[in-house]
């Protein structure tokens, strides 16, 4: 299981999240996705902890908590949805692109 953390400050680091979540148990992994074009943080992240009980405690304590000037949104991460190919990656199946 993984925890989703939204509405993060763009100044947050992996180390910052590790410190905050380690108050609720052992942190296995922290991920802060960045924008592909700019390299800037996207304002959300993911944390994996050793047990579901630790994750549940962190979610309960931190959802809605103010941190670094923002109210965090913390919940169980949902599986990534397959949204299909984008225009650039799926041109043969795109009727617009096949006309040109």
């Amino acid at each position: 299981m993984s925890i989703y953390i939204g509405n993060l400050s763009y100044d947050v680091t992996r180390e910052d999240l590790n410190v905050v979540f380690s108050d609720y148990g052992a942190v296995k992994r922290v991920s802060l996705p960045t924008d592909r074009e700019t390299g800037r943080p996207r304002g959300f992240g993911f944390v994996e902890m050793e047990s579901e009980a630790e994750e549940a405690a962190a979610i309960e304590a931190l959802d809605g908590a103010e941190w670094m000037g923002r109210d965090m949104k913390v919940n169980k991460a949902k599986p990534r949805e397959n949204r299909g190919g984008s225009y650039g990656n799926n041109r043969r199946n795109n009727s617009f692109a096949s006309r040109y």
Side-chain angles (χ1 to χ4, degrees):
M1 181 168 94
S2 187
I3 300 171
Y4 166 83
I5 306 100
N7 200 32
L8 290 174
S9 165
Y10 294 114
D11 296 327
V12 169
T13 66
R14 286 185 199 152
E15 293 78 25
D16 294 332
L17 284 174
N18 197 355
V19 168
V20 169
F21 280 82
S22 66
D23 286 346
Y24 304 95
V27 176
K28 290 173 40 177
R29 187 172 73 89
V30 175
S31 173
L32 281 174
T34 56
D35 183 270
R36 290 181 192 170
E37 293 182 21
T38 66
R40 290 189 51 193
R42 295 179 64 193
F44 65 92
F46 300 93
V47 172
E48 289 182 26
M49 300 183 77
E50 285 291 326
S51 74
E52 288 192 32
E54 292 170 340
E55 290 180 347
I59 291 168
E60 178 70 27
L62 298 173
D63 186 35
E66 190 275 327
W67 186 50
M68 296 181 80
R70 294 179 174 229
D71 294 335
M72 290 190 295
K73 176 69 178 162
V74 183
N75 55 38
K76 287 185 181 183
K78 297 176 183 167
R80 189 174 190 167
E81 294 179 6
N82 183 0
R83 294 185 234 157
S86 67
Y87 176 77
N89 294 332
N90 197 12
R91 289 180 185 227
R92 283 187 281 172
N93 295 330
N94 185 305
S95 61
F96 175 79
S98 65
R99 289 185 274 161
Y100 298 97

